[in-house]
Amino acid sequence: MNFDLTDEQLLIQQTAREFALAELADGVIERDEKKIWPAEGIKKLGELGFMGMMVDPKWNGGGMDTISYSIAIEEIARIDASASVVMSVNNSLVCYLLESFASDFIKENYLSKLTTGEKLGAFSLSEPQSGSDASNMKTIAKKVGDDYVVSGTKNWVTSGINCDYVILFAVTKQGIGHKGVSAFVVDKEWEGFSCGKPENKLGIRASDTCELYFDNVKIPKENLIGEEGMGFKIALATLDGGRIGIAAQALGIAQASLDASISYSKERIQFGKPISANQGIQFKLADMAMEIEASRLIIRQAAYLKDKHLNFGPMASMAKVYASETAMKASTNCVQIHGGNGYMRETGVERLMRDAKITQIYEGTSEIQRVVIARGLLN
Ligand code: CAA
């Protein structure tokens, strides 16, 4: 067993760390407060090759492994969780899906632009009545001649407003459950497509989330991903990988919470000594460090299994539950260690707590992850 990162992985870690500090740290509190999309940062992430990291260079991707990707997400999330989710969705839900399941026509015309950052992707599975019960969707894609005509409403779509292309899941055959779901790539410019208002969220406020409306949108049949009826399996297989990205995002938030807690507790003097001299604070720091290290190891193991093309779904779910619960706990304790200062927006640590919460919810709630883990044990 080898725990060392390769030279390439170390370089990616250093590059992502320096990039996040230089390009994302400035203004992160204001972007959160005012819901300002990190346009410049996202553009530069594309230029850096971080928007299609795991894709074959044939499609302009970085050809990197999943461990490298998880390291980069962690470093970006450590500074700006909003930017990291945009990066995560584009890499693991959009590019990975297209590379794994789409035709060469789609790879040539869509994937090759998403990997460079020229275009941005979104993943649209959920609907108002179907969140965890993801196959229970009402959006219909009806075959009419050489097109599919789509009508329906999708919701909670990350990057819905700022993206160019959407991976859409819709029902092509009704009454047969998940076997009637198909996946498409949709250009936002097509007639009949519109976005709702940006949602007013608790955290990751600089990323956009919105509803998408399809009013008889014509999708050419070439834009069907895989075969008709394969959409739900494509979604679940893709989410297995996405969960590694969200786990890495949670890890970045947890690490930022520990970093801030260590430096504040050494500076803050109460009763004539730094508060870090108290065991009550030290034990919190120790628990954070322990759980962060454990999260990192599970994430790396899930990434390793994925790169080896082994069954990695349950391990990705373990990584997501463990890292997101660690992020929530670490960020809450970070605010506690900061006391009254932590409760103020200006210190930026209450943002970590708000950002951490979504990692327990999106790309499958912690409860759904436990369902996936238990199924792996019992099957
Ligand atoms: N990969 C491929 N296929 C899979 C699979 C996987 N990981 N897991 C199951 N399948 C297959 C099954 O074998 C089954 O196929 P057959 O009928 O041919 O045997 C089919 O898919 C359906 O499986 P289930 O009957 O197990 O499906 P289910 O309806 O019981 O759901 C679930 C299982 C795990 C609960 C799933 O619905 C789920 O993961 N729900 C959560 C949805 C989710 O994560 N949504 C996130 C939205 S996207 C998002 O958040 C992005 C963002 O903006 C950041």
Side-chain angles (χ1 to χ4, degrees):
M1 203 183 299
N2 184 359
F3 290 98
D4 293 335
L5 296 180
T6 63
D7 288 346
E8 194 190 352
Q9 288 162 348
L10 284 169
L11 182 64
I12 287 161
Q13 185 176 50
Q14 188 192 340
T15 307
R17 192 171 288 172
E18 287 172 4
F19 173 85
L21 280 171
E23 304 290 346
L24 297 171
D26 200 25
V28 68
I29 294 176
E30 191 191 359
R31 290 197 298 275
D32 166 72
E33 180 110 17
K34 299 184 180 160
K35 298 197 286 178
I36 301 170
W37 171 259
E40 202 54 26
I42 299 300
K43 185 168 159 264
K44 288 183 176 165
L45 278 168
E47 288 162 6
L48 202 59
F50 276 15
M51 292 305 267
M53 293 181 73
M54 295 173 287
V55 176
D56 193 314
K58 184 174 166 192
W59 310 111
N60 300 331
M64 293 175 229
D65 61 11
T66 312
I67 294 184
S68 303
Y69 165 63
S70 70
I71 290 170
I73 290 275
E74 178 191 337
E75 293 300 329
I76 301 300
R78 203 166 159 183
I79 300 297
D80 185 343
S82 291
S84 75
V85 71
V86 178
M87 177 180 157
S88 176
V89 166
N90 199 73
N91 273 279
S92 45
L93 295 190
V94 178
C95 289
Y96 173 80
L97 182 151
L98 293 180
E99 184 172 34
S100 306
F101 302 105
S103 63
D104 280 0
F105 165 80
I106 293 177
K107 289 178 187 169
E108 188 75 48
N109 289 285
Y110 294 88
L111 179 60
S112 297
K113 296 175 190 159
L114 289 158
T115 45
T116 57
E118 180 191 338
K119 301 285 183 186
L120 184 68
F123 178 91
S124 183
L125 178 67
S126 305
E127 295 187 5
Q129 78 294 341
S130 74
S132 294
D133 184 9
S135 67
N136 180 31
M137 58 183 74
K138 289 184 181 162
T139 298
I140 305 286
K142 200 171 159 201
K143 190 89 189 281
V144 181
D146 277 350
D147 299 318
Y148 289 87
V149 179
V150 180
S151 288
T153 298
K154 308 297 281 189
N155 73 343
W156 299 322
V157 182
T158 301
S159 304
I161 292 170
N162 285 283
C163 73
D164 302 283
Y165 305 142
V166 178
I167 306 292
L168 169 73
F169 297 90
V171 176
T172 44
K173 192 164 185 186
Q174 287 172 277
I176 54 170
H178 75 82
K179 290 186 166 62
V181 174
S182 302
F184 302 89
V185 58
V186 177
D187 189 320
K188 259 181 74 182
E189 294 297 314
W190 289 343
E191 213 180 312
F193 181 99
S194 57
C195 299
K197 61 175 175 34
E199 301 290 357
N200 196 11
K201 295 173 293 186
L202 174 73
I204 55 163
R205 289 170 55 82
S207 69
D208 81 63
T209 306
C210 69
E211 289 192 331
L212 300 181
Y213 310 116
F214 294 83
D215 180 10
N216 290 312
V217 176
K218 270 190 197 167
I219 305 179
K221 69 176 187 324
E222 293 74 26
N223 284 42
L224 173 72
I225 300 167
E227 287 169 28
E228 252 189 49
M230 288 302 296
F232 192 59
K233 290 187 184 181
I234 290 175
L236 293 189
T238 301
L239 281 164
D240 283 342
R243 288 163 185 167
I244 298 176
I246 299 305
Q249 179 194 32
L251 176 60
I253 297 169
Q255 184 65 57
S257 304
L258 177 60
D259 297 342
S261 299
I262 292 172
S263 64
Y264 183 81
S265 65
K266 281 160 77 176
E267 282 163 16
R268 176 73 173 166
I269 308 291
Q270 291 291 282
F271 304 104
K273 59 183 183 190
I275 60 170
S276 61
N278 302 310
Q279 281 193 339
I281 300 291
Q282 290 171 7
F283 288 178
K284 281 190 172 58
L285 298 178
D287 283 352
M288 281 187 209
M290 191 168 66
E291 288 160 12
I292 285 169
E293 288 304 332
S295 301
R296 195 170 280 123
L297 287 178
I298 310 179
I299 292 169
R300 299 251 167 102
Q301 195 178 346
Y304 168 87
L305 291 174
K306 177 168 171 283
D307 289 335
K308 291 276 174 200
H309 305 290
L310 297 167
N311 177 23
F312 69 94
M315 192 63 74
S317 288
M318 286 187 209
K320 184 174 179 292
V321 177
Y322 199 82
S324 61
E325 292 185 357
T326 295
M328 200 62 237
K329 204 168 139 192
S331 58
T332 306
N333 276 329
C334 175
V335 171
Q336 189 67 22
I337 288 169
H338 283 71
N341 285 324
Y343 204 66
M344 302 299 140
R345 287 269 160 109
E346 298 74 37
T347 49
V349 296
E350 54 78 46
R351 177 176 57 87
L352 297 170
M353 203 170 102
R354 290 186 286 105
D355 287 350
K357 188 62 207 168
I358 190 60
T359 65
Q360 295 179 300
I361 298 173
Y362 59 18
E363 298 202 22
T365 60
S366 293
E367 291 74 14
I368 288 295
Q369 305 311 323
R370 286 182 166 91
V371 168
V372 174
I373 296 164
R375 283 181 178 184
L377 298 173
L378 299 171
N379 278 342

